[in-house]
Amino acid sequence: MSGLSAGIRLAHFGKKVAILERHDRVGGLNSYYSLGGYDIDVGLHAVTNYALSRKSPTGALGKILRQLRIRPEELDLSPQKKSRISFPSVTLDFTNDFAYFIEAINEAFPSQKDNFRTLVAKVEKHDPFKTASAPQSTREMLLSIIREPLLVEMLLAPLMYYGNPIENDMDFRQFVIMFKSIYMEGFARPKRGVRQILDLLVERFENKGGELKLNSGVQDIVVKDGKAKGVELYDGTYLPCRSILSSAGRLETIALCPETAPKGKQPKAGVMAFSESVNILDKHPQELGFEHSIIFFSNRDKFRFRRPDEPFEVNDGVICVPDNFEYETPLQTDMVRITNKADHRFWEKINRLQNLPTKKEWHQKSLEAASTVGRHMPDISKNLKFVDIFTPRTVERYTGHIHGAVYGAPVKVWDGVTPVENLFLCGTDQGFLGIIGTMLSGISIANQHLLQ
Amino acid sequence: MDKSQLREAVIDIIKSIAPDEDLNGIDGEKPLREQIDLDSMDFLDIVMELRVRYKVDVPEQDYPALNTLQGTVDYLHPKMGNV
Ligand SMILES: Cc1cc2nc3c(=O)[nH]c(=O)nc-3n(C[C@H](O)[C@H](O)[C@H](O)COP(=O)(O)OP(=O)(O)OC[C@H]3O[C@@H](n4cnc5c(N)ncnc54)[C@H](O)[C@@H]3O)c2cc1C
């Protein structure tokens, strides 16, 4: 998505541009597939930043739309109903109206009313797109303002799940982006899911004269005297070029031109990986009692965001019900998606024969932990018509991201610059995360380095 | 292009960038950004559209000239009078 967004900008302003995608379809971390007669999105629980006004806290969606010359209605977004943060002793609901969330917090944590207001003021003042600050601990910052550790954990859970590449803590800059994107600007979803967005981006790119080459994996970036000269594809084809934008990830891109790796200590790869089950039920989720669009849950008061030592960490996760958004006409996919953190080391090593039974075993545990144990959702185990489960290994295999780490490496390259003069990074490892983030990333890196 | 055609051309560019803005009542003498919602990214797009559509380059030190619609037209006229 970052690549397509960058490509649209470049093609629009008359550059000759090709997008090389190694798969037979676009989308990467947010692609789609068909299985068992069902159309399934890889990701897409929700599009964040649902506030079209460019005066909204991040203004990101409005910015992207203008930059890509897309009209809002073309995305066909429908807002969420409401979402929930569900912990053992407290639940907090939020909607696309930030005042609703403030009210919920005031009710559940009356002693923290003023402190939360202080936090919001701090977040509002911070412009994460301007300040190039050194990483700053969000936990320390939050605990210095908010006196209820439980509220800190509850605020962090959704933001970490939807956009944190590091373990245990979060860079305050990333926290500010995610806080505004999720709590202040809200969630929405296109009725057709990610295909709506991808089809639109591809159509725009090709109409502006861009060339999309599928099944065109890059084997090597050919570098001479510190400059990229061209790329060699898996099938041996050589394509010369003036400059390259890579959305493959930082280490993944360096691996394509190993001789240019920075000397000394290598940057670390990300380790935060996830599993997801796609559950198709024999009924509409609302008939079973699902009311929320998305539920972020934890069975412990202390939320742990780190690579688990078990195949899945089932005691916290995210439940998404795509049917529960405010569509003009109701949607009935009967789908419930459940995300858990997963240990990529386990799934990388597992042999073929054990893969499926182990997935099934952990899927069972995942359902139990979210329903009968934690009571965050109704028990769906007797209503399953179809289940597909993917693990970090699936993500790595299909997107090339090391460890299947959805949010990439812990240290971001905010300016997109690499040791190779005309090779730039966009997307996940540049630093803006999620669908909207990554589109903004592609746009701003293209603007900064190739257009202005 | 004469000045009124130039004005049309500039309005056309702004329309393509910000289709959600009402450009009918624009006062040519007042700063554009006080009348419609244009941020710095949009502003740079106006400059880039001028380059792509009319091959006219606006160097950064001349950006203040593009503050108002009239200023933009006056600035572009000598450069684009015979486009
Ligand atoms: C399960 C899941 C759920 C998610 N849910 C949401 C959500 O609800 N909301 C949200 O905002 N975000 C969500 N995300 C995150 C979002 O999908 C990503 O942040 C975003 O799609 C990243 O896009 P990107 O362009 O940066 O990277 P990618 O999508 O990884 O793009 C990189 C592309 O490069 C290709 N590539 C890699 N190496 C090569 C090579 N050598 N040659 C050619 N091509 C190559 C890959 O195939 C891929 O298509 C989710 C992600 C996952 C995995």
Side-chain angles (χ1 to χ4, degrees), chain A residues 1-3 20-23 25-30 42-48 162 216-219 234 247-248 256 276 337 339 390 395 398-401 406-407 426-429 433-436 438:
Chain A
M1 281 185 178
S2 59
L20 307 173
E21 167 58 59
R22 66 176 181 176
H23 278 288
R25 69 192 64 185
V26 297
L29 285 166
N30 227 320
V42 176
L44 193 64
H45 289 181
V47 172
T48 56
Y162 274 7
S216 301
V218 173
Q219 179 78 44
Y234 293 159
S247 60
L256 297 173
E276 177 138 311
R337 314 181 65 115
T339 308
F390 61 82
V395 175
Y398 284 101
T399 69
H401 288 289
V406 171
Y407 302 124
C426 68
T428 309
D429 276 348
L433 301 172
I435 295 170
I436 299 298
T438 216

Coordinates of all heavy atoms in Angstrom, one line a residue, chain A residues 1-3 20-23 25-30 42-48 162 216-219 234 247-248 256 276 337 339 390 395 398-401 406-407 426-429 433-436 438, ligand 1:
Chain A
M1 N 0.8 -1.2 0.0 CA 0.0 0.0 0.0 C 0.8 1.3 0.0 O 0.5 2.2 -0.6 CB -0.9 0.0 1.2 CG -2.1 -0.9 1.0 SD -3.2 -0.7 2.4 CE -4.5 -1.8 1.9
S2 N 2.0 1.2 0.7 CA 2.9 2.4 0.7 C 3.4 2.5 -0.7 O 3.6 3.6 -1.3 CB 4.0 2.3 1.7 OG 4.7 1.1 1.5
G3 N 3.8 1.4 -1.3 CA 4.4 1.4 -2.7 C 3.4 1.9 -3.7 O 3.7 2.8 -4.5
L20 N 7.2 -3.2 -8.7 CA 7.5 -4.6 -8.8 C 7.0 -5.4 -7.6 O 7.4 -5.1 -6.4 CB 9.0 -4.8 -8.9 CG 9.7 -4.0 -10.0 CD1 11.2 -4.0 -9.9 CD2 9.2 -4.4 -11.4
E21 N 6.1 -6.3 -7.8 CA 5.5 -7.1 -6.7 C 5.8 -8.5 -7.0 O 5.5 -9.0 -8.0 CB 4.0 -6.8 -6.6 CG 3.2 -7.7 -5.8 CD 3.7 -7.8 -4.3 OE1 3.7 -6.7 -3.6 OE2 4.1 -8.9 -3.8
R22 N 6.3 -9.2 -5.9 CA 6.7 -10.6 -6.2 C 5.5 -11.5 -6.3 O 5.6 -12.6 -6.8 CB 7.8 -11.0 -5.2 CG 7.3 -11.1 -3.8 CD 8.4 -11.7 -3.0 NE 8.0 -11.9 -1.7 CZ 8.8 -12.4 -0.8 NH1 10.0 -12.9 -1.1 NH2 8.3 -12.5 0.5
H23 N 4.4 -11.1 -5.7 CA 3.2 -12.0 -5.7 C 2.4 -11.8 -7.0 O 2.6 -10.9 -7.7 CB 2.4 -11.7 -4.5 CG 2.9 -12.5 -3.3 ND1 2.8 -13.9 -3.3 CD2 3.7 -12.1 -2.3 CE1 3.5 -14.3 -2.2 NE2 4.0 -13.3 -1.6
R25 N -0.6 -10.9 -6.8 CA -1.6 -9.8 -6.5 C -0.9 -8.8 -5.6 O 0.1 -9.1 -4.9 CB -2.8 -10.4 -5.8 CG -2.6 -10.9 -4.4 CD -3.7 -11.7 -4.0 NE -3.8 -12.9 -4.8 CZ -4.8 -13.8 -4.6 NH1 -5.7 -13.6 -3.8 NH2 -4.9 -14.9 -5.4
V26 N -1.6 -7.6 -5.5 CA -1.0 -6.6 -4.6 C -1.5 -6.7 -3.2 O -2.4 -7.6 -2.9 CB -1.4 -5.2 -5.2 CG1 -0.8 -4.9 -6.5 CG2 -2.9 -5.0 -5.2
G27 N -1.0 -5.9 -2.3 CA -1.6 -5.8 -1.0 C -0.6 -6.1 0.1 O -0.7 -5.6 1.2
G28 N 0.3 -7.1 -0.1 CA 1.3 -7.4 0.9 C 0.7 -7.8 2.3 O -0.2 -8.7 2.3
L29 N 1.0 -7.0 3.3 CA 0.5 -7.3 4.6 C -1.0 -7.2 4.7 O -1.7 -7.6 5.7 CB 1.1 -6.4 5.7 CG 2.6 -6.7 6.0 CD1 3.2 -5.5 6.8 CD2 2.6 -8.0 6.9
N30 N -1.6 -6.5 3.7 CA -3.0 -6.4 3.8 C -3.6 -6.8 2.4 O -4.3 -6.0 1.7 CB -3.5 -5.0 4.1 CG -4.5 -5.0 5.2 OD1 -5.4 -5.8 5.1 ND2 -4.5 -4.1 6.1
V42 N -6.5 -10.5 4.4 CA -5.4 -10.9 5.3 C -5.5 -10.1 6.5 O -5.4 -10.6 7.6 CB -4.0 -10.7 4.6 CG1 -2.9 -11.0 5.6 CG2 -3.9 -11.5 3.4
G43 N -5.6 -8.8 6.4 CA -5.7 -8.0 7.6 C -7.0 -7.3 7.6 O -8.0 -7.9 7.6
L44 N -6.9 -6.0 7.7 CA -8.0 -5.1 7.7 C -9.1 -5.5 8.8 O -10.1 -6.0 8.4 CB -8.7 -4.9 6.4 CG -9.7 -3.8 6.4 CD1 -9.0 -2.5 6.6 CD2 -10.5 -3.7 5.1
H45 N -8.8 -5.1 10.0 CA -9.9 -5.1 11.0 C -10.7 -3.8 10.7 O -11.9 -3.8 10.5 CB -9.4 -5.0 12.4 CG -8.8 -6.3 12.8 ND1 -8.2 -6.5 14.1 CD2 -8.6 -7.5 12.2 CE1 -7.8 -7.7 14.2 NE2 -8.0 -8.4 13.0
A46 N -9.9 -2.7 10.7 CA -10.5 -1.4 10.5 C -9.5 -0.4 9.9 O -8.3 -0.6 10.1 CB -11.1 -0.9 11.8
V47 N -10.0 0.6 9.2 CA -9.2 1.7 8.8 C -9.2 2.7 9.9 O -10.3 3.0 10.5 CB -9.8 2.3 7.5 CG1 -9.0 3.6 7.2 CG2 -9.7 1.3 6.3
T48 N -8.0 3.1 10.3 CA -8.0 4.1 11.4 C -8.1 5.5 10.9 O -8.3 5.7 9.7 CB -6.6 4.0 12.2 OG1 -5.6 4.2 11.2 CG2 -6.5 2.6 12.8
Y162 N -2.2 -2.3 17.5 CA -2.4 -1.7 16.1 C -1.3 -0.9 15.6 O -1.4 -0.3 14.5 CB -3.7 -0.9 16.1 CG -5.0 -1.7 15.8 CD1 -4.9 -3.1 15.8 CD2 -6.2 -1.1 15.6 CE1 -6.0 -3.9 15.5 CE2 -7.3 -1.9 15.3 CZ -7.2 -3.2 15.3 OH -8.4 -4.0 15.1
S216 N 6.9 -10.4 -10.0 CA 8.2 -9.8 -10.4 C 9.0 -9.5 -9.2 O 9.2 -8.3 -8.8 CB 8.0 -8.4 -11.2 OG 7.2 -8.7 -12.3
G217 N 9.4 -10.6 -8.5 CA 10.2 -10.4 -7.3 C 11.6 -9.9 -7.6 O 12.2 -10.3 -8.6
V218 N 12.1 -9.0 -6.7 CA 13.4 -8.5 -6.9 C 14.4 -9.4 -6.2 O 14.3 -9.6 -5.0 CB 13.5 -7.0 -6.3 CG1 15.0 -6.5 -6.3 CG2 12.6 -6.1 -7.1
Q219 N 15.4 -9.8 -7.0 CA 16.4 -10.7 -6.4 C 17.6 -9.9 -5.9 O 18.1 -10.2 -4.8 CB 16.9 -11.7 -7.5 CG 18.0 -12.6 -7.1 CD 17.4 -13.8 -6.4 OE1 16.4 -14.3 -6.7 NE2 18.0 -14.1 -5.3
Y234 N 13.8 -12.2 -10.0 CA 14.0 -13.6 -9.8 C 14.3 -14.4 -11.1 O 15.0 -15.3 -11.2 CB 12.7 -14.3 -9.2 CG 12.4 -13.8 -7.8 CD1 11.2 -14.0 -7.2 CD2 13.4 -13.3 -6.9 CE1 10.9 -13.6 -5.9 CE2 13.2 -12.9 -5.6 CZ 11.9 -13.0 -5.1 OH 11.6 -12.6 -3.9
S247 N 9.5 -0.8 -0.2 CA 8.6 -1.0 1.0 C 8.8 -2.4 1.6 O 8.0 -2.8 2.4 CB 7.2 -0.8 0.5 OG 6.8 -1.8 -0.5
A248 N 9.9 -3.1 1.2 CA 10.1 -4.4 1.7 C 10.6 -4.5 3.1 O 10.5 -5.6 3.7 CB 11.1 -5.1 0.7
L256 N 19.0 -7.2 -0.1 CA 19.0 -7.3 -1.6 C 20.2 -6.6 -2.2 O 20.5 -6.8 -3.4 CB 17.7 -6.6 -2.1 CG 16.4 -7.2 -1.8 CD1 15.2 -6.3 -2.2 CD2 16.2 -8.6 -2.3
E276 N -3.7 -15.1 13.5 CA -5.1 -14.6 13.4 C -5.9 -15.8 12.9 O -5.6 -16.5 12.1 CB -5.2 -13.5 12.4 CG -6.6 -13.0 12.2 CD -6.7 -11.5 12.1 OE1 -6.2 -10.8 12.9 OE2 -7.3 -11.0 11.1
R337 N -13.0 -12.4 13.6 CA -11.5 -12.6 13.5 C -10.9 -12.4 14.9 O -11.3 -11.5 15.6 CB -10.9 -11.5 12.6 CG -11.6 -11.3 11.3 CD -10.9 -10.2 10.4 NE -9.6 -10.8 10.0 CZ -9.3 -11.0 8.8 NH1 -10.1 -10.8 7.8 NH2 -8.1 -11.5 8.5
T339 N -7.2 -12.1 16.8 CA -5.7 -11.9 16.7 C -5.1 -12.2 18.1 O -5.6 -11.7 19.1 CB -5.4 -10.4 16.3 OG1 -6.1 -10.1 15.2 CG2 -3.9 -10.3 16.1
F390 N -3.9 -18.1 10.4 CA -2.5 -17.9 9.9 C -1.6 -17.5 11.1 O -2.0 -17.0 12.1 CB -2.4 -17.1 8.7 CG -3.0 -15.7 8.8 CD1 -2.2 -14.7 9.3 CD2 -4.2 -15.4 8.3 CE1 -2.8 -13.4 9.4 CE2 -4.8 -14.1 8.3 CZ -4.0 -13.1 8.9
V395 N 2.8 -15.1 7.4 CA 3.0 -13.7 7.1 C 4.4 -13.5 6.5 O 4.6 -12.8 5.5 CB 2.9 -12.8 8.4 CG1 3.3 -11.3 8.1 CG2 1.5 -12.8 8.9
Y398 N 4.4 -14.9 2.9 CA 3.7 -14.1 1.8 C 4.2 -12.6 1.7 O 3.9 -12.0 0.7 CB 2.2 -14.1 2.1 CG 1.7 -15.5 1.6 CD1 1.4 -16.5 2.5 CD2 1.5 -15.7 0.3 CE1 0.9 -17.7 2.1 CE2 1.1 -17.0 -0.2 CZ 0.8 -18.0 0.8 OH 0.3 -19.2 0.4
T399 N 4.8 -12.1 2.7 CA 5.2 -10.7 2.6 C 6.7 -10.5 2.7 O 7.2 -9.4 2.4 CB 4.6 -9.8 3.7 OG1 5.2 -10.2 5.0 CG2 3.1 -10.0 3.8
G400 N 7.4 -11.5 3.1 CA 8.9 -11.3 3.1 C 9.4 -10.6 4.4 O 10.6 -10.5 4.6
H401 N 8.5 -10.1 5.2 CA 8.9 -9.4 6.5 C 9.5 -10.4 7.4 O 8.9 -11.4 7.8 CB 7.8 -8.7 7.1 CG 7.3 -7.5 6.4 ND1 8.1 -6.3 6.3 CD2 6.2 -7.2 5.6 CE1 7.5 -5.4 5.5 NE2 6.3 -6.0 5.1
V406 N 4.8 -7.8 11.8 CA 3.8 -7.0 11.0 C 4.3 -5.5 11.1 O 4.1 -4.8 10.1 CB 2.4 -7.1 11.6 CG1 1.5 -6.1 11.0 CG2 1.9 -8.5 11.3
Y407 N 4.8 -5.0 12.2 CA 5.2 -3.6 12.3 C 6.6 -3.4 12.1 O 7.2 -2.3 12.4 CB 4.7 -3.1 13.7 CG 3.2 -3.2 13.8 CD1 2.6 -3.9 14.9 CD2 2.3 -2.7 12.8 CE1 1.2 -4.0 15.0 CE2 0.9 -2.9 12.9 CZ 0.4 -3.6 14.0 OH -1.0 -3.7 14.0
C426 N 10.2 3.2 2.2 CA 8.9 3.7 2.6 C 8.1 2.6 3.3 O 8.6 1.4 3.2 CB 8.2 4.3 1.4 SG 7.6 3.1 0.2
G427 N 7.0 2.9 3.9 CA 6.2 1.8 4.5 C 6.7 1.5 5.9 O 7.3 2.3 6.6
T428 N 6.3 0.3 6.3 CA 6.5 -0.2 7.7 C 7.8 0.3 8.4 O 7.7 0.8 9.5 CB 6.5 -1.7 7.7 OG1 5.3 -2.1 6.9 CG2 6.4 -2.3 9.0
D429 N 8.9 0.1 7.7 CA 10.2 0.4 8.5 C 10.6 1.9 8.4 O 11.5 2.3 9.0 CB 11.3 -0.4 8.0 CG 11.3 -1.8 8.7 OD1 10.6 -1.9 9.7 OD2 12.0 -2.7 8.3
L433 N 2.7 3.5 10.6 CA 2.2 2.1 10.6 C 0.7 2.0 10.3 O 0.0 3.0 10.4 CB 2.5 1.5 12.0 CG 4.0 1.4 12.3 CD1 4.1 0.9 13.8 CD2 4.7 0.5 11.4
G434 N 0.3 0.8 9.9 CA -1.1 0.6 9.6 C -1.4 1.1 8.2 O -0.5 1.6 7.5
I435 N -2.6 0.9 7.8 CA -3.0 1.2 6.4 C -2.8 2.7 6.1 O -2.1 3.1 5.1 CB -4.5 0.8 6.1 CG1 -4.6 -0.7 6.3 CG2 -4.9 1.3 4.8 CD1 -6.0 -1.2 6.3
I436 N -3.4 3.5 6.9 CA -3.3 4.9 6.7 C -1.9 5.4 6.9 O -1.4 6.2 6.1 CB -4.3 5.7 7.6 CG1 -5.8 5.2 7.4 CG2 -4.2 7.2 7.5 CD1 -6.3 5.5 6.0
T438 N 0.9 3.8 6.5 CA 1.8 3.4 5.4 C 1.5 4.1 4.1 O 2.5 4.4 3.4 CB 1.7 1.8 5.3 OG1 3.1 1.4 5.0 CG2 0.8 1.4 4.2
Ligands
LIG1 C1 -3.2 -9.8 10.1 C2 -3.1 -8.3 9.9 C3 -4.1 -7.4 10.3 C4 -3.9 -6.0 10.1 N1 -4.9 -5.2 10.4 C5 -4.8 -3.9 10.1 C6 -6.0 -3.0 10.4 O1 -7.0 -3.5 10.8 N2 -5.8 -1.7 10.2 C7 -4.6 -1.2 9.7 O2 -4.5 0.0 9.6 N3 -3.6 -2.0 9.5 C8 -3.6 -3.3 9.7 N4 -2.6 -4.1 9.5 C9 -1.3 -3.5 9.1 C10 -1.2 -3.1 7.7 O3 -1.7 -4.2 6.9 C11 0.2 -2.8 7.3 O4 0.7 -1.8 8.2 C12 0.4 -2.2 5.9 O5 -0.4 -3.0 5.0 C13 1.8 -2.2 5.5 O6 2.0 -1.9 4.2 P1 3.4 -1.7 3.6 O7 3.2 -1.1 2.2 O8 4.3 -0.9 4.5 O9 4.1 -3.1 3.5 P2 3.8 -4.4 2.8 O10 2.3 -4.6 2.7 O11 4.6 -5.5 3.4 O12 4.3 -4.2 1.3 C14 5.5 -4.7 0.8 C15 5.3 -5.4 -0.5 O13 6.5 -5.7 -1.0 C16 6.5 -7.0 -1.6 N5 7.9 -7.5 -1.6 C17 8.7 -7.8 -0.6 N6 9.9 -8.2 -1.0 C18 9.9 -8.1 -2.3 C19 10.8 -8.4 -3.4 N7 12.1 -8.8 -3.1 N8 10.5 -8.2 -4.7 C20 9.2 -7.7 -5.0 N9 8.3 -7.5 -4.1 C21 8.6 -7.7 -2.8 C22 5.6 -7.7 -0.7 O14 5.1 -8.9 -1.4 C23 4.5 -6.7 -0.3 O15 3.5 -6.7 -1.3 C24 -2.7 -5.5 9.6 C25 -1.7 -6.4 9.2 C26 -1.8 -7.8 9.4 C27 -0.7 -8.7 9.0

